[in-house]
Amino acid sequence: MDLVAQIIGIIAMVVAVSSYQVKSQKGIVSVLIISTSLWTLHYFMKGLYVGSLLNLMCAVRSVIYSKRSTCKWAASVIWIYVFTALSLVIYALQFTLFGEEATLGNLALQFLPLIGVFATSIGFRAKTGFGVRASQLISGPVWFIYNLIGNSIGGVVTEIIATLSVIIGIIRHDIKDLKKKSEK
């Protein structure tokens, strides 16, 4: 079972990393919907339920955010609060429904992905690809630690590659665009 979970994590990694080379916000979010769906399955199979449920929520968040330009309800700022509240409920479930002991270490470990989700919930509302990419510079390191401790090979490698990919995307798209604007 762990081997299958690791393979799914590696596939999710390939999809996630490729998303940061897409120029538009909508394109990035569309590719991330596929990736987060795979991560949901990966974390569930590894028994990392907070990570699994947060990724499921993030897939839904990505669908809603991708409709912002065509649906007024999807553009509402209320979604940040909805996803923040859902994240906190998911966090609490780890220590109630899933029965994990609420030690200081477990409380801290399970809170790490929430920080990542909070950052991307705000970043994905950005109107530019830069806003999405910048949020990953916060999200990546906390997910890296979660994945390292949770023994998610695909997750660890993803966060290393994704952070490098985000930096390359910022250089290729955002810094280049700033230079063009300043030359005008």
Side-chain angles (χ1 to χ4, degrees), residues 27-138:
I28 293 169
V29 172
S30 296
V31 175
L32 287 176
I33 291 168
I34 297 166
S35 175
T36 54
S37 298
L38 290 166
W39 285 119
T40 298
L41 180 58
H42 167 75
Y43 288 123
F44 182 81
M45 291 175 75
K46 291 198 63 56
L48 299 168
Y49 301 117
V50 167
S52 179
L53 290 172
L54 285 174
N55 271 277
L56 179 61
M57 182 198 74
C58 288
V60 172
R61 178 192 68 192
S62 294
V63 170
I64 291 169
Y65 281 7
S66 71
K67 297 189 178 299
R68 286 183 316 155
S69 61
T70 58
C71 300
K72 187 176 179 178
W73 60 266
S76 174
V77 73
I78 193 82
W79 289 110
I80 290 176
Y81 302 107
V82 168
F83 293 125
T84 298
L86 278 173
S87 297
L88 293 170
V89 168
I90 289 168
Y91 176 73
L93 288 175
Q94 183 69 22
F95 304 103
T96 55
L97 183 65
F98 300 124
E100 184 162 334
E101 187 178 352
T103 65
L104 184 58
N106 285 342
L107 290 167
L109 173 65
Q110 299 303 332
F111 197 74
L112 290 173
L114 267 71
I115 295 168
V117 169
F118 295 156
T120 55
S121 288
I122 293 167
F124 282 16
R125 284 198 43 83
K127 295 183 181 185
T128 64
F130 173 73
V132 177
R133 284 185 279 275
S135 72
Q136 296 303 309
L137 294 176
I138 296 167

